[in-house]
Amino acid sequence: MAVCVAVIAKENYPLYIRTIPTENELKFHYTVHTCLDVIEEKVSSVGKSSNDLRELYLGLLYPTEDYKVYGYVTNTKVKFVIVVESSNTQMRDNEIRNMFKTLHNAYVDMLCNPFYTPGENVKSKAFDNTVNQMMIQD
């Protein structure tokens, strides 16, 4: 399903990046980094069009030749990015939304841990297991 999952802090530094094992893992890091401008643009345009009602799911940020990049922003401005293969045509928008909801719930559960300091890299095994389930390919 997903080939890369990333959690980006409010200040735009990565808290968590997991990719499928390939020779080109750095390409996914670059892809996640380049989508931050698109996320900021979408968030600012949504904020101007509606008062305080904001959709967390940003949808397709941009497609590349091989991948599609989707984005999601929490109320605290933490960004989630999921990269899926472009050839995976059976992936529907509703499935992507559900992946983000699952990821957001796992992130909130991790934040509730009293031993986690917000802003640190994510090292939770439960969060890691959730991401691994998203990345299992059929």
Side-chain angles (χ1 to χ4, degrees):
M1 303 254 303
V3 293
C4 178
V5 175
V7 178
I8 309 296
K10 177 181 178 180
E11 296 83 12
N12 289 337
Y13 61 88
L15 296 174
Y16 181 90
I17 295 181
R18 170 64 59 94
T19 63
I20 59 169
T22 64
E23 310 170 350
N24 237 351
E25 289 182 31
L26 190 59
K27 179 180 178 179
F28 292 121
H29 288 253
Y30 177 75
T31 302
V32 168
H33 180 73
T34 57
C35 76
L36 294 177
D37 289 334
V38 178
I39 290 173
E40 292 299 323
E41 188 177 304
K42 283 194 173 210
V43 167
S44 64
S45 69
V46 169
K48 292 176 184 174
S49 64
S50 63
N51 294 338
D52 207 19
L53 184 63
R54 184 165 62 94
E55 175 70 25
L56 299 175
Y57 175 66
L58 299 175
L60 180 66
L61 299 177
Y62 64 88
T64 65
E65 188 175 311
D66 301 322
Y67 305 102
K68 290 183 181 178
V69 183
Y70 293 89
Y72 183 96
V73 178
T74 68
N75 290 328
T76 58
K77 307 272 193 220
V78 173
K79 300 151 195 82
F80 298 136
V81 176
I82 295 178
V83 181
V84 298
E85 290 181 337
S86 290
S87 61
N88 195 350
T89 55
Q90 71 258 20
M91 200 65 140
R92 297 199 173 118
D93 195 54
N94 196 26
E95 293 174 10
I96 299 290
R97 282 180 187 264
N98 288 335
M99 287 172 69
F100 277 119
K101 286 180 184 177
T102 303
L103 189 63
H104 193 175
N105 288 338
Y107 182 74
V108 169
D109 289 345
M110 189 232 12
L111 280 177
C112 291
N113 182 347
F115 298 107
Y116 176 75
T117 305
E120 287 184 353
N121 288 341
V122 176
K123 297 174 186 155
S124 167
K125 289 182 183 178
F127 187 82
D128 232 12
N129 290 337
T130 301
V131 171
N132 286 338
Q133 290 299 317
M134 289 180 185
M135 298 181 91
I136 292 176
Q137 296 182 353
D138 298 320

